[in-house]
């Protein structure tokens, strides 16, 4: 008598309680939840790839707009100062604060943009019904791994806190880049909410 070992690539673990299941792709609009703890493991949505792709392209375009236009202008005692996102990054680029400047550029601009480019690279061929492009799995893995380091949304929270602090000292007006960056933060959150990582992994593995 021989006991067959289950194919490890066909097993999925619940991200909360590690219960193992044999993988079966749920039908569109169905979700697969862990029977032990109730965590949703798969939630494929019809048309999700096109939604993710559209959100990623829109966020990348808005990010480009946010770079080029004024972000905030402050008026106090008859003097007006305008600042762009690049100015915010450059403002620390003096003496020993330069690493901070580099970190801000990386965390709020470069990594979020890189993640969007990687996601577009992964989802564009899938949207057209083509086979994934070379390195798509590595690109998607990198996109997932970089998520904790992508802080465009946190930058907006920081800006909001700073504005409350200086509101009594100066008159603040928002430039186009502010609204573009706020829209980027919303689109990034919407993209993460729509993306079912396991479904994309399944498509990439079975292609
Ligand atoms: Zn579970």
């Amino acid at each position: 008598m021989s006991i067959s070992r289950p194919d490890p690539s066909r097993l999925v673990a619940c991200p909360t309680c590690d219960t193992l299941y044999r993988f079966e792709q749920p039908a569109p609009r169905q979700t697969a939840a862990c029977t032990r703890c109730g965590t949703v493991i798969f939630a494929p949505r019809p048309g999700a790839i096109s939604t993710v792709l559209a959100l990623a392209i829109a966020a990348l375009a808005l990010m480009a707009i946010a770079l080029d236009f004024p972000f905030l202008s402050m008026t106090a005692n008859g003097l007006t100062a305008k600042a762009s996102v690049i100015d915010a990054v450059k403002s620390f680029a003096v003496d020993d604060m330069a690493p901070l400047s580099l970190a801000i550029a990386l965390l709020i601009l470069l990594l979020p943009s890189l993640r969007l480019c990687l996601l577009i690279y992964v989802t564009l061929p899938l949207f057209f019904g083509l086979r994934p492009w070379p390195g798509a799995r590595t690109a998607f893995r990198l996109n997932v791994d970089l998520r904790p380091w992508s802080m465009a949304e946190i930058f907006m929270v920081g800006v909001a806190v700073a504005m409350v602090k200086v509101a009594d000292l100066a008159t603040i007006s928002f430039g186009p880049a502010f609204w573009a960056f706020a829209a980027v933060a919303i689109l990034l959150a919407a993209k993460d909410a729509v993306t079912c990582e396991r479904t994309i992994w399944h498509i990439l593995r079975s292609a």
Side-chain angles (χ1 to χ4, degrees):
M1 193 179 91
S2 67
I3 299 170
S4 64
R5 283 159 58 108
D7 176 5
S9 67
R10 301 288 303 162
L11 294 175
V12 285
C14 167
T16 306
C17 70
D18 285 343
T19 305
L20 281 178
Y21 295 95
R22 188 172 293 116
F23 175 80
E24 268 178 52
Q25 179 72 17
R29 294 191 190 284
Q30 273 191 341
T31 54
C34 175
T35 52
R36 191 171 168 209
C37 71
T39 302
V40 173
I41 302 176
F42 286 93
R45 296 173 189 81
I49 293 286
S50 52
T51 311
V52 170
L53 180 62
L55 289 171
I57 291 173
L60 199 60
L62 285 168
M63 191 77 103
I65 291 171
L67 285 184
D68 223 24
F69 286 90
F71 189 81
L72 280 179
S73 68
M74 280 196 274
T75 308
N77 303 325
L79 295 170
T80 302
K82 280 187 183 171
S84 67
V85 178
I86 297 291
D87 292 332
V89 170
K90 280 199 272 186
S91 61
F92 294 103
V94 281
D95 304 330
D96 51 353
M97 297 286 269
L100 185 60
S101 192
L102 188 67
I104 295 174
L106 262 179
L107 298 176
I108 70 169
L109 298 175
L110 298 177
L111 290 183
S113 305
L114 175 65
R115 282 193 71 216
L116 290 169
C117 291
L118 291 169
L119 196 62
I120 292 168
Y121 181 81
V122 170
T123 52
L124 195 61
L126 305 182
F127 172 72
F128 287 109
L130 304 170
R131 287 177 58 80
W133 284 332
R137 285 192 215 179
T138 312
F140 193 58
R141 165 65 57 206
L142 192 59
N143 166 62
V144 173
D145 288 347
L146 289 176
R147 183 168 41 198
W149 298 100
S150 170
M151 301 189 183
E153 309 92 316
I154 294 167
F155 172 67
M156 287 310 286
V157 175
V159 168
V161 172
M163 280 189 311
V164 171
K165 296 269 186 195
V166 298
D168 293 338
L169 306 173
T171 310
I172 300 168
S173 50
F174 307 117
F178 177 87
W179 301 112
F181 221 90
V184 167
I186 294 168
L187 290 181
L188 290 178
K191 168 187 73 68
D192 284 340
V194 171
T195 310
C196 177
E197 273 173 26
R198 283 167 187 271
T199 304
I200 295 182
W201 275 126
H202 174 66
I203 297 170
L204 294 179
R205 284 203 187 100
S206 55

